[in-house]
Amino acid sequence: MNTQDEKIRFDAIVVGAGLAGSTAAMMMARAGLNVALIERGQKAGGKNYFGGAIYTHAIGEVLPDFMDRKPPFERPVTEAGFWMLSKDGGLTKMTVQGGKLGAEPADAYMASRAVFDVWWAEQAQREGALLIPKTSVVDFIRDSAGQVIGVSTDRAQGDVYAPVVIICEGVNNLLTQKLGLIDHDLEPAHVALAFKQVIALPMDTINARFGLPDEKHGLAASVLGDVSLGLPGMGFVYTNNTSVSVGLGMMLDAVVEYRLKPYEVLQRYLRHPAIAPLIKGGQLMEYGAHLIPEGGYRDMPKLYTGGAMVAGDAASMVNALHWEGTNMAIVAGKLAAETAIEAHKQGDFSAQALSQYEARLKDRFILKDMKQYRNFARFLETHPEFMDAYPGFINDALGQFFSAYGMPKKTLFKNILGSLTSRRQLFKAVGDMLSMGRAVMGW
Amino acid sequence: MKKGDAFSVKELPQELKASLPDVYVDDLLVSLKYFIDEEQSHLKIKDQAVCARCQYKPCLDFCPVGVYTLAHDGKIQVAYQACVECGSCRVGCPYANIEWTLPRGGFGVAYKFG
Ligand SMILES: Cc1cc2nc3c(=O)[nH]c(=O)nc-3n(C[C@H](O)[C@H](O)[C@H](O)COP(=O)(O)OP(=O)(O)OC[C@H]3O[C@@H](n4cnc5c(N)ncnc54)[C@H](O)[C@@H]3O)c2cc1C
Ligand code: SF4
Ligand code: SF4
């Protein structure tokens, strides 16, 4: 038995060295707190997954000099938008390039999470956080009043104590459930199952096939149309330095009910006449799969309790319209850390004190975005007529419209979306249309 | 998605169904790196009798790495070694019949790219 004095104590514990977790650890360590960052994988990032592209605005908020620290980014996103695949093998591109997408550093960079997250955790270690890998947190330690005062792990004598625990465990939020912050597990209708292949190709081949001038240019495209068998879903294509990531996500309930084999759906997409030539001769580097929480605000747990807070995918903080989660995870991790730092100053870790976390989130885009989505979801529930009008718009009108005009697509696109300059705005506009389409099909 | 005995399946239009290629999942699995826990499985079927009663056995299909297969005796076999820990089976099994835990610290999938 441990005596009082032998207990392993920290000022704060972070569960999970993903984006939310390493951010929280970095911020708290910088403020002088003694932080344990506990990760179940062999190293940070080994369990983590995305498309994908990482936004730099969130990174810059935490580490203003991030570019000097040589982040292991792949190509910058210099071209972004939507591709529409038609059943007859056609491809309509609706992408923007130049303008703000040409900025340095770029708004977003392609990355591999297994590489990027290692670097991100190293930044937390540089501030003094202690990374404890190969260790799963299995439960909480609470005092007689129910206040969280530590965690137990699957290591021998693996109890670790701290007055505040920040839970950043990702989409499978079993600890968040265990703590009673949410009373149900994920709903198949509210999560997307996403899977992809990373396919190696020579740099020059990628440049030529994707129309990129050099490796300082990269494409991030969301792919609609003949991707997900007419069921709720969306594909994606990202160009890395010497590989491309091609995959798709579908709502899990559809995958289960239609008894689809995800790898068959993916292979069908990779064989589409517009996609196959892009990856021809490439070598499979890695296949994988992960869930994306899509429930938005409806599925968010309570964000804090006495001695604990929850951030990132574990709190369903993904913008369900655009599948953006990295920026929210980073900002939420930062805000949770600020709340923990303040709690240390006041010596108060009660639920009341930690409720500041939610207040901080409300001030920022996170809760605003999530609420907007909730309203939108409700709107759709009460306006079924919209569910009929929009899929047609997406599947037929839009595709035909963009290909029927004799105008160069770029010019046409500019005309239509003239005022939409940034990628975010663009995603939002098309994303809103897309979500209408999703709702129609019963997502 | 309805759960328990109320669960039912849907069918794709024939033409779409026919457009799905056959894929040998092992060809994909070789691209993945794992630290395999040889001593214990982190996935367990809670009750094989429930599986026997489960009419459609969707786990045989929806697991993205084909962990669940049907043994000769009709039981569900769990090749936990291939699991990428996505969580789909925990929430997608209509009978909530899969006991799903994280692999012990350090074990399981180790993405090289992710
Ligand atoms: C296919 C796909 C494509 C995506 N594309 C994009 C994109 O292009 N851009 C974007 O912004 N977002 C994208 N997202 C979303 C984004 O990846 C997530 O929102 C983001 O990774 C969430 O970060 P997180 O820190 O909350 O969780 P995670 O990155 O999942 O980290 C959770 C960490 O906790 C650890 N952990 C869990 N439980 C325990 C435990 N009990 N003990 C110890 N450690 C534990 C895990 O090992 C992991 O390291 C995508 C997601 C998917 C699946
Ligand atoms: S694990 Fe679930 S889905 Fe699979 S056969 Fe058993 S009850 Fe059915
Ligand atoms: S967690 Fe995902 S990969 Fe693992 S067995 Fe379940 S469905 Fe398959």
Side-chain angles (χ1 to χ4, degrees), chain A residues 237-280:
Chain A
V237 173
Y238 293 93
T239 58
N240 303 315
N241 289 332
T242 56
S243 66
V244 293
S245 297
V246 192
L248 77 148
M250 298 182 71
M251 298 313 291
L252 180 62
D253 61 340
V255 178
V256 175
E257 287 179 319
Y258 284 88
R259 285 183 290 176
L260 299 173
K261 292 189 166 72
Y263 36 93
E264 290 184 0
V265 182
L266 177 56
Q267 195 60 35
R268 180 181 178 278
Y269 166 42
L270 296 177
R271 284 189 194 170
H272 187 277
I275 300 293
L278 296 173
I279 54 171
K280 190 170 168 258

mmCIF file of all heavy atoms in Angstrom, chain A residues 237-280:
data_model
loop_
_atom_site.group_PDB
_atom_site.id
_atom_site.type_symbol
_atom_site.label_atom_id
_atom_site.label_comp_id
_atom_site.label_asym_id
_atom_site.label_seq_id
_atom_site.Cartn_x
_atom_site.Cartn_y
_atom_site.Cartn_z
ATOM 1 N N VAL A 237 -9.345 13.875 -50.758
ATOM 2 C CA VAL A 237 -8.047 13.659 -51.401
ATOM 3 C C VAL A 237 -7.094 14.705 -50.849
ATOM 4 O O VAL A 237 -7.416 15.901 -50.867
ATOM 5 C CB VAL A 237 -8.131 13.825 -52.934
ATOM 6 C CG1 VAL A 237 -6.742 13.761 -53.560
ATOM 7 C CG2 VAL A 237 -9.032 12.767 -53.555
ATOM 8 N N TYR A 238 -5.969 14.286 -50.325
ATOM 9 C CA TYR A 238 -4.938 15.219 -49.859
ATOM 10 C C TYR A 238 -3.610 14.830 -50.493
ATOM 11 O O TYR A 238 -3.266 13.647 -50.545
ATOM 12 C CB TYR A 238 -4.786 15.159 -48.336
ATOM 13 C CG TYR A 238 -5.987 15.655 -47.562
ATOM 14 C CD1 TYR A 238 -6.976 14.780 -47.139
ATOM 15 C CD2 TYR A 238 -6.122 17.007 -47.248
ATOM 16 C CE1 TYR A 238 -8.076 15.231 -46.419
ATOM 17 C CE2 TYR A 238 -7.214 17.466 -46.529
ATOM 18 C CZ TYR A 238 -8.190 16.575 -46.114
ATOM 19 O OH TYR A 238 -9.268 17.020 -45.409
ATOM 20 N N THR A 239 -2.864 15.822 -50.947
ATOM 21 C CA THR A 239 -1.542 15.527 -51.509
ATOM 22 C C THR A 239 -0.469 15.842 -50.473
ATOM 23 O O THR A 239 -0.341 16.959 -49.992
ATOM 24 C CB THR A 239 -1.272 16.374 -52.766
ATOM 25 O OG1 THR A 239 -1.377 17.762 -52.432
ATOM 26 C CG2 THR A 239 -2.254 16.052 -53.881
ATOM 27 N N ASN A 240 0.299 14.824 -50.111
ATOM 28 C CA ASN A 240 1.467 15.019 -49.239
ATOM 29 C C ASN A 240 2.690 15.218 -50.118
ATOM 30 O O ASN A 240 2.562 15.331 -51.332
ATOM 31 C CB ASN A 240 1.622 13.800 -48.329
ATOM 32 C CG ASN A 240 0.374 13.538 -47.518
ATOM 33 O OD1 ASN A 240 -0.203 14.474 -46.951
ATOM 34 N ND2 ASN A 240 -0.075 12.295 -47.474
ATOM 35 N N ASN A 241 3.880 15.238 -49.531
ATOM 36 C CA ASN A 241 5.091 15.434 -50.339
ATOM 37 C C ASN A 241 5.261 14.322 -51.362
ATOM 38 O O ASN A 241 5.352 14.574 -52.561
ATOM 39 C CB ASN A 241 6.329 15.485 -49.443
ATOM 40 C CG ASN A 241 6.366 16.769 -48.626
ATOM 41 O OD1 ASN A 241 5.826 17.796 -49.044
ATOM 42 N ND2 ASN A 241 6.972 16.716 -47.453
ATOM 43 N N THR A 242 5.299 13.087 -50.869
ATOM 44 C CA THR A 242 5.531 11.961 -51.776
ATOM 45 C C THR A 242 4.479 10.864 -51.572
ATOM 46 O O THR A 242 4.770 9.677 -51.703
ATOM 47 C CB THR A 242 6.941 11.360 -51.557
ATOM 48 O OG1 THR A 242 7.057 10.995 -50.179
ATOM 49 C CG2 THR A 242 8.027 12.357 -51.910
ATOM 50 N N SER A 243 3.284 11.288 -51.224
ATOM 51 C CA SER A 243 2.170 10.337 -51.129
ATOM 52 C C SER A 243 0.867 11.117 -51.235
ATOM 53 O O SER A 243 0.852 12.339 -51.082
ATOM 54 C CB SER A 243 2.217 9.568 -49.804
ATOM 55 O OG SER A 243 1.983 10.434 -48.717
ATOM 56 N N VAL A 244 -0.199 10.393 -51.512
ATOM 57 C CA VAL A 244 -1.521 11.011 -51.461
ATOM 58 C C VAL A 244 -2.369 10.209 -50.479
ATOM 59 O O VAL A 244 -2.208 8.993 -50.341
ATOM 60 C CB VAL A 244 -2.206 11.074 -52.846
ATOM 61 C CG1 VAL A 244 -1.466 12.016 -53.769
ATOM 62 C CG2 VAL A 244 -2.315 9.698 -53.480
ATOM 63 N N SER A 245 -3.263 10.913 -49.788
ATOM 64 C CA SER A 245 -4.201 10.266 -48.879
ATOM 65 C C SER A 245 -5.570 10.322 -49.531
ATOM 66 O O SER A 245 -6.076 11.414 -49.806
ATOM 67 C CB SER A 245 -4.260 11.004 -47.540
ATOM 68 O OG SER A 245 -3.013 10.952 -46.896
ATOM 69 N N VAL A 246 -6.132 9.157 -49.790
ATOM 70 C CA VAL A 246 -7.445 9.112 -50.432
ATOM 71 C C VAL A 246 -8.353 8.235 -49.575
ATOM 72 O O VAL A 246 -8.005 7.092 -49.258
ATOM 73 C CB VAL A 246 -7.363 8.510 -51.852
ATOM 74 C CG1 VAL A 246 -8.674 8.738 -52.598
ATOM 75 C CG2 VAL A 246 -6.204 9.108 -52.629
ATOM 76 N N GLY A 247 -9.489 8.785 -49.197
ATOM 77 C CA GLY A 247 -10.383 8.002 -48.360
ATOM 78 C C GLY A 247 -11.764 8.587 -48.335
ATOM 79 O O GLY A 247 -12.065 9.531 -49.068
ATOM 80 N N LEU A 248 -12.604 8.007 -47.506
ATOM 81 C CA LEU A 248 -13.945 8.546 -47.350
ATOM 82 C C LEU A 248 -14.508 8.199 -45.989
ATOM 83 O O LEU A 248 -14.008 7.303 -45.303
ATOM 84 C CB LEU A 248 -14.880 8.038 -48.448
ATOM 85 C CG LEU A 248 -15.418 6.609 -48.353
ATOM 86 C CD1 LEU A 248 -16.801 6.538 -48.952
ATOM 87 C CD2 LEU A 248 -14.494 5.672 -49.085
ATOM 88 N N GLY A 249 -15.544 8.939 -45.634
ATOM 89 C CA GLY A 249 -16.254 8.660 -44.400
ATOM 90 C C GLY A 249 -17.724 8.475 -44.704
ATOM 91 O O GLY A 249 -18.259 9.089 -45.625
ATOM 92 N N MET A 250 -18.339 7.568 -43.971
ATOM 93 C CA MET A 250 -19.781 7.335 -44.118
ATOM 94 C C MET A 250 -20.397 7.248 -42.735
ATOM 95 O O MET A 250 -19.742 6.796 -41.795
ATOM 96 C CB MET A 250 -20.038 6.013 -44.845
ATOM 97 C CG MET A 250 -19.489 5.972 -46.247
ATOM 98 S SD MET A 250 -19.876 4.398 -47.041
ATOM 99 C CE MET A 250 -21.645 4.580 -47.304
ATOM 100 N N MET A 251 -21.659 7.616 -42.614
ATOM 101 C CA MET A 251 -22.290 7.505 -41.317
ATOM 102 C C MET A 251 -22.327 6.031 -40.921
ATOM 103 O O MET A 251 -22.677 5.162 -41.715
ATOM 104 C CB MET A 251 -23.702 8.098 -41.341
ATOM 105 C CG MET A 251 -23.727 9.592 -41.674
ATOM 106 S SD MET A 251 -22.539 10.589 -40.752
ATOM 107 C CE MET A 251 -23.235 10.514 -39.103
ATOM 108 N N LEU A 252 -21.959 5.750 -39.667
ATOM 109 C CA LEU A 252 -21.798 4.363 -39.239
ATOM 110 C C LEU A 252 -23.106 3.577 -39.347
ATOM 111 O O LEU A 252 -23.098 2.398 -39.696
ATOM 112 C CB LEU A 252 -21.248 4.313 -37.805
ATOM 113 C CG LEU A 252 -21.032 2.912 -37.243
ATOM 114 C CD1 LEU A 252 -20.008 2.129 -38.063
ATOM 115 C CD2 LEU A 252 -20.586 2.979 -35.784
ATOM 116 N N ASP A 253 -24.239 4.225 -39.046
ATOM 117 C CA ASP A 253 -25.501 3.465 -39.101
ATOM 118 C C ASP A 253 -25.751 2.922 -40.503
ATOM 119 O O ASP A 253 -26.219 1.796 -40.668
ATOM 120 C CB ASP A 253 -26.687 4.284 -38.582
ATOM 121 C CG ASP A 253 -26.939 5.548 -39.371
ATOM 122 O OD1 ASP A 253 -26.011 6.021 -40.073
ATOM 123 O OD2 ASP A 253 -28.060 6.075 -39.306
ATOM 124 N N ALA A 254 -25.386 3.701 -41.524
ATOM 125 C CA ALA A 254 -25.581 3.232 -42.900
ATOM 126 C C ALA A 254 -24.644 2.063 -43.199
ATOM 127 O O ALA A 254 -25.045 1.070 -43.811
ATOM 128 C CB ALA A 254 -25.362 4.370 -43.885
ATOM 129 N N VAL A 255 -23.393 2.177 -42.754
ATOM 130 C CA VAL A 255 -22.431 1.096 -43.001
ATOM 131 C C VAL A 255 -22.939 -0.206 -42.366
ATOM 132 O O VAL A 255 -22.865 -1.281 -42.961
ATOM 133 C CB VAL A 255 -21.030 1.454 -42.438
ATOM 134 C CG1 VAL A 255 -20.050 0.312 -42.659
ATOM 135 C CG2 VAL A 255 -20.504 2.732 -43.078
ATOM 136 N N VAL A 256 -23.492 -0.082 -41.154
ATOM 137 C CA VAL A 256 -23.977 -1.272 -40.442
ATOM 138 C C VAL A 256 -25.240 -1.813 -41.116
ATOM 139 O O VAL A 256 -25.335 -2.995 -41.420
ATOM 140 C CB VAL A 256 -24.256 -0.940 -38.954
ATOM 141 C CG1 VAL A 256 -24.873 -2.141 -38.242
ATOM 142 C CG2 VAL A 256 -22.973 -0.511 -38.253
ATOM 143 N N GLU A 257 -26.188 -0.932 -41.375
ATOM 144 C CA GLU A 257 -27.482 -1.396 -41.898
ATOM 145 C C GLU A 257 -27.371 -1.977 -43.306
ATOM 146 O O GLU A 257 -28.093 -2.902 -43.666
ATOM 147 C CB GLU A 257 -28.496 -0.258 -41.874
ATOM 148 C CG GLU A 257 -28.952 0.064 -40.458
ATOM 149 C CD GLU A 257 -29.940 1.216 -40.400
ATOM 150 O OE1 GLU A 257 -29.743 2.214 -41.122
ATOM 151 O OE2 GLU A 257 -30.914 1.109 -39.647
ATOM 152 N N TYR A 258 -26.488 -1.411 -44.098
ATOM 153 C CA TYR A 258 -26.308 -1.939 -45.460
ATOM 154 C C TYR A 258 -25.249 -3.046 -45.496
ATOM 155 O O TYR A 258 -24.932 -3.569 -46.553
ATOM 156 C CB TYR A 258 -25.932 -0.811 -46.428
ATOM 157 C CG TYR A 258 -27.109 0.065 -46.796
ATOM 158 C CD1 TYR A 258 -27.440 1.169 -46.023
ATOM 159 C CD2 TYR A 258 -27.906 -0.238 -47.905
ATOM 160 C CE1 TYR A 258 -28.526 1.966 -46.340
ATOM 161 C CE2 TYR A 258 -28.988 0.556 -48.239
ATOM 162 C CZ TYR A 258 -29.303 1.659 -47.451
ATOM 163 O OH TYR A 258 -30.382 2.438 -47.776
ATOM 164 N N ARG A 259 -24.725 -3.373 -44.346
ATOM 165 C CA ARG A 259 -23.689 -4.408 -44.218
ATOM 166 C C ARG A 259 -22.577 -4.215 -45.245
ATOM 167 O O ARG A 259 -22.226 -5.129 -45.998
ATOM 168 C CB ARG A 259 -24.308 -5.810 -44.338
ATOM 169 C CG ARG A 259 -25.064 -6.192 -43.077
ATOM 170 C CD ARG A 259 -25.603 -7.587 -43.160
ATOM 171 N NE ARG A 259 -26.693 -7.675 -44.133
ATOM 172 C CZ ARG A 259 -27.309 -8.815 -44.459
ATOM 173 N NH1 ARG A 259 -26.940 -9.950 -43.915
ATOM 174 N NH2 ARG A 259 -28.292 -8.812 -45.329
ATOM 175 N N LEU A 260 -22.064 -3.004 -45.267
ATOM 176 C CA LEU A 260 -21.001 -2.682 -46.220
ATOM 177 C C LEU A 260 -19.656 -3.072 -45.639
ATOM 178 O O LEU A 260 -19.431 -2.947 -44.430
ATOM 179 C CB LEU A 260 -21.010 -1.182 -46.518
ATOM 180 C CG LEU A 260 -22.295 -0.653 -47.146
ATOM 181 C CD1 LEU A 260 -22.239 0.875 -47.231
ATOM 182 C CD2 LEU A 260 -22.510 -1.261 -48.528
ATOM 183 N N LYS A 261 -18.773 -3.508 -46.515
ATOM 184 C CA LYS A 261 -17.389 -3.702 -46.109
ATOM 185 C C LYS A 261 -16.653 -2.423 -46.473
ATOM 186 O O LYS A 261 -16.527 -2.099 -47.660
ATOM 187 C CB LYS A 261 -16.776 -4.897 -46.849
ATOM 188 C CG LYS A 261 -17.376 -6.251 -46.440
ATOM 189 C CD LYS A 261 -16.569 -7.378 -47.061
ATOM 190 C CE LYS A 261 -16.886 -8.729 -46.439
ATOM 191 N NZ LYS A 261 -18.214 -9.234 -46.837
ATOM 192 N N PRO A 262 -16.171 -1.694 -45.478
ATOM 193 C CA PRO A 262 -15.559 -0.386 -45.768
ATOM 194 C C PRO A 262 -14.470 -0.457 -46.844
ATOM 195 O O PRO A 262 -14.404 0.411 -47.713
ATOM 196 C CB PRO A 262 -14.983 0.034 -44.417
ATOM 197 C CG PRO A 262 -15.875 -0.629 -43.418
ATOM 198 C CD PRO A 262 -16.239 -1.948 -44.028
ATOM 199 N N TYR A 263 -13.640 -1.526 -46.802
ATOM 200 C CA TYR A 263 -12.536 -1.599 -47.766
ATOM 201 C C TYR A 263 -13.045 -1.824 -49.187
ATOM 202 O O TYR A 263 -12.376 -1.458 -50.140
ATOM 203 C CB TYR A 263 -11.530 -2.681 -47.345
ATOM 204 C CG TYR A 263 -12.148 -3.906 -46.705
ATOM 205 C CD1 TYR A 263 -12.478 -5.008 -47.468
ATOM 206 C CD2 TYR A 263 -12.424 -3.923 -45.335
ATOM 207 C CE1 TYR A 263 -13.054 -6.122 -46.885
ATOM 208 C CE2 TYR A 263 -13.008 -5.030 -44.740
ATOM 209 C CZ TYR A 263 -13.331 -6.129 -45.513
ATOM 210 O OH TYR A 263 -13.920 -7.222 -44.944
ATOM 211 N N GLU A 264 -14.223 -2.399 -49.326
ATOM 212 C CA GLU A 264 -14.784 -2.547 -50.680
ATOM 213 C C GLU A 264 -15.296 -1.207 -51.197
ATOM 214 O O GLU A 264 -15.116 -0.872 -52.370
ATOM 215 C CB GLU A 264 -15.923 -3.578 -50.684
ATOM 216 C CG GLU A 264 -15.440 -4.996 -50.481
ATOM 217 C CD GLU A 264 -16.568 -6.025 -50.578
ATOM 218 O OE1 GLU A 264 -17.752 -5.631 -50.809
ATOM 219 O OE2 GLU A 264 -16.279 -7.212 -50.408
ATOM 220 N N VAL A 265 -15.939 -0.454 -50.308
ATOM 221 C CA VAL A 265 -16.432 0.868 -50.714
ATOM 222 C C VAL A 265 -15.244 1.756 -51.102
ATOM 223 O O VAL A 265 -15.288 2.478 -52.098
ATOM 224 C CB VAL A 265 -17.252 1.519 -49.573
ATOM 225 C CG1 VAL A 265 -17.813 2.869 -50.014
ATOM 226 C CG2 VAL A 265 -18.374 0.603 -49.114
ATOM 227 N N LEU A 266 -14.170 1.648 -50.324
ATOM 228 C CA LEU A 266 -12.977 2.450 -50.617
ATOM 229 C C LEU A 266 -12.360 2.023 -51.954
ATOM 230 O O LEU A 266 -11.994 2.869 -52.787
ATOM 231 C CB LEU A 266 -11.954 2.295 -49.478
ATOM 232 C CG LEU A 266 -10.606 2.997 -49.642
ATOM 233 C CD1 LEU A 266 -10.786 4.497 -49.878
ATOM 234 C CD2 LEU A 266 -9.733 2.782 -48.397
ATOM 235 N N GLN A 267 -12.274 0.715 -52.166
ATOM 236 C CA GLN A 267 -11.670 0.230 -53.409
ATOM 237 C C GLN A 267 -12.483 0.671 -54.626
ATOM 238 O O GLN A 267 -11.928 1.035 -55.661
ATOM 239 C CB GLN A 267 -11.560 -1.302 -53.357
ATOM 240 C CG GLN A 267 -10.643 -1.900 -54.418
ATOM 241 C CD GLN A 267 -9.218 -1.380 -54.307
ATOM 242 O OE1 GLN A 267 -8.726 -1.142 -53.221
ATOM 243 N NE2 GLN A 267 -8.571 -1.171 -55.446
ATOM 244 N N ARG A 268 -13.799 0.681 -54.462
ATOM 245 C CA ARG A 268 -14.671 1.126 -55.557
ATOM 246 C C ARG A 268 -14.381 2.586 -55.899
ATOM 247 O O ARG A 268 -14.299 2.968 -57.072
ATOM 248 C CB ARG A 268 -16.134 0.958 -55.126
ATOM 249 C CG ARG A 268 -17.141 1.399 -56.178
ATOM 250 C CD ARG A 268 -18.564 1.214 -55.648
ATOM 251 N NE ARG A 268 -19.550 1.667 -56.613
ATOM 252 C CZ ARG A 268 -19.901 2.930 -56.769
ATOM 253 N NH1 ARG A 268 -19.357 3.881 -56.025
ATOM 254 N NH2 ARG A 268 -20.806 3.262 -57.672
ATOM 255 N N TYR A 269 -14.200 3.372 -54.863
ATOM 256 C CA TYR A 269 -13.887 4.793 -55.043
ATOM 257 C C TYR A 269 -12.519 4.954 -55.717
ATOM 258 O O TYR A 269 -12.349 5.741 -56.650
ATOM 259 C CB TYR A 269 -13.964 5.452 -53.668
ATOM 260 C CG TYR A 269 -13.381 6.827 -53.476
ATOM 261 C CD1 TYR A 269 -13.551 7.842 -54.416
ATOM 262 C CD2 TYR A 269 -12.704 7.137 -52.288
ATOM 263 C CE1 TYR A 269 -13.027 9.112 -54.188
ATOM 264 C CE2 TYR A 269 -12.190 8.397 -52.062
ATOM 265 C CZ TYR A 269 -12.352 9.383 -53.015
ATOM 266 O OH TYR A 269 -11.836 10.623 -52.785
ATOM 267 N N LEU A 270 -11.554 4.166 -55.284
ATOM 268 C CA LEU A 270 -10.204 4.269 -55.862
ATOM 269 C C LEU A 270 -10.177 3.828 -57.330
ATOM 270 O O LEU A 270 -9.283 4.215 -58.077
ATOM 271 C CB LEU A 270 -9.209 3.421 -55.053
ATOM 272 C CG LEU A 270 -8.975 3.853 -53.605
ATOM 273 C CD1 LEU A 270 -8.027 2.893 -52.901
ATOM 274 C CD2 LEU A 270 -8.417 5.269 -53.530
ATOM 275 N N ARG A 271 -11.183 3.019 -57.715
ATOM 276 C CA ARG A 271 -11.226 2.555 -59.106
ATOM 277 C C ARG A 271 -12.052 3.467 -59.997
ATOM 278 O O ARG A 271 -12.207 3.185 -61.190
ATOM 279 C CB ARG A 271 -11.826 1.149 -59.166
ATOM 280 C CG ARG A 271 -10.857 0.108 -58.722
ATOM 281 C CD ARG A 271 -11.410 -1.272 -59.001
ATOM 282 N NE ARG A 271 -10.629 -2.266 -58.286
ATOM 283 C CZ ARG A 271 -10.982 -3.528 -58.188
ATOM 284 N NH1 ARG A 271 -12.102 -3.956 -58.746
ATOM 285 N NH2 ARG A 271 -10.225 -4.375 -57.523
ATOM 286 N N HIS A 272 -12.642 4.507 -59.426
ATOM 287 C CA HIS A 272 -13.433 5.422 -60.249
ATOM 288 C C HIS A 272 -12.536 5.959 -61.369
ATOM 289 O O HIS A 272 -11.367 6.295 -61.130
ATOM 290 C CB HIS A 272 -13.953 6.578 -59.384
ATOM 291 C CG HIS A 272 -14.908 7.484 -60.110
ATOM 292 N ND1 HIS A 272 -14.470 8.498 -60.928
ATOM 293 C CD2 HIS A 272 -16.263 7.515 -60.155
ATOM 294 C CE1 HIS A 272 -15.529 9.118 -61.439
ATOM 295 N NE2 HIS A 272 -16.627 8.545 -60.979
ATOM 296 N N PRO A 273 -13.064 6.038 -62.591
ATOM 297 C CA PRO A 273 -12.235 6.438 -63.740
ATOM 298 C C PRO A 273 -11.516 7.781 -63.558
ATOM 299 O O PRO A 273 -10.490 8.010 -64.206
ATOM 300 C CB PRO A 273 -13.246 6.527 -64.891
ATOM 301 C CG PRO A 273 -14.376 5.658 -64.482
ATOM 302 C CD PRO A 273 -14.429 5.682 -62.984
ATOM 303 N N ALA A 274 -12.044 8.651 -62.699
ATOM 304 C CA ALA A 274 -11.362 9.929 -62.484
ATOM 305 C C ALA A 274 -10.293 9.834 -61.393
ATOM 306 O O ALA A 274 -9.377 10.644 -61.325
ATOM 307 C CB ALA A 274 -12.381 11.008 -62.118
ATOM 308 N N ILE A 275 -10.402 8.850 -60.519
ATOM 309 C CA ILE A 275 -9.455 8.716 -59.400
ATOM 310 C C ILE A 275 -8.320 7.749 -59.751
ATOM 311 O O ILE A 275 -7.153 7.996 -59.442
ATOM 312 C CB ILE A 275 -10.184 8.219 -58.120
ATOM 313 C CG1 ILE A 275 -11.298 9.205 -57.706
ATOM 314 C CG2 ILE A 275 -9.206 8.014 -56.969
ATOM 315 C CD1 ILE A 275 -10.832 10.558 -57.238
ATOM 316 N N ALA A 276 -8.659 6.657 -60.411
ATOM 317 C CA ALA A 276 -7.667 5.603 -60.691
ATOM 318 C C ALA A 276 -6.389 6.124 -61.347
ATOM 319 O O ALA A 276 -5.286 5.760 -60.914
ATOM 320 C CB ALA A 276 -8.309 4.489 -61.516
ATOM 321 N N PRO A 277 -6.501 6.991 -62.380
ATOM 322 C CA PRO A 277 -5.256 7.456 -63.022
ATOM 323 C C PRO A 277 -4.375 8.289 -62.085
ATOM 324 O O PRO A 277 -3.160 8.369 -62.283
ATOM 325 C CB PRO A 277 -5.743 8.329 -64.183
ATOM 326 C CG PRO A 277 -7.215 8.151 -64.269
ATOM 327 C CD PRO A 277 -7.699 7.540 -63.004
ATOM 328 N N LEU A 278 -4.997 8.881 -61.081
ATOM 329 C CA LEU A 278 -4.234 9.735 -60.158
ATOM 330 C C LEU A 278 -3.338 8.916 -59.242
ATOM 331 O O LEU A 278 -2.311 9.399 -58.761
ATOM 332 C CB LEU A 278 -5.196 10.579 -59.301
ATOM 333 C CG LEU A 278 -6.060 11.594 -60.041
ATOM 334 C CD1 LEU A 278 -7.078 12.223 -59.088
ATOM 335 C CD2 LEU A 278 -5.182 12.676 -60.670
ATOM 336 N N ILE A 279 -3.733 7.686 -58.964
ATOM 337 C CA ILE A 279 -2.980 6.864 -58.003
ATOM 338 C C ILE A 279 -2.321 5.671 -58.668
ATOM 339 O O ILE A 279 -1.694 4.839 -58.002
ATOM 340 C CB ILE A 279 -3.893 6.375 -56.861
ATOM 341 C CG1 ILE A 279 -5.118 5.651 -57.427
ATOM 342 C CG2 ILE A 279 -4.343 7.540 -55.993
ATOM 343 C CD1 ILE A 279 -5.940 4.955 -56.355
ATOM 344 N N LYS A 280 -2.437 5.605 -59.997
ATOM 345 C CA LYS A 280 -1.913 4.465 -60.754
ATOM 346 C C LYS A 280 -0.421 4.251 -60.446
ATOM 347 O O LYS A 280 0.366 5.188 -60.414
ATOM 348 C CB LYS A 280 -2.095 4.731 -62.249
ATOM 349 C CG LYS A 280 -1.820 3.542 -63.118
ATOM 350 C CD LYS A 280 -2.273 3.822 -64.551
ATOM 351 C CE LYS A 280 -1.742 2.769 -65.478
ATOM 352 N NZ LYS A 280 -0.576 3.217 -66.239
#
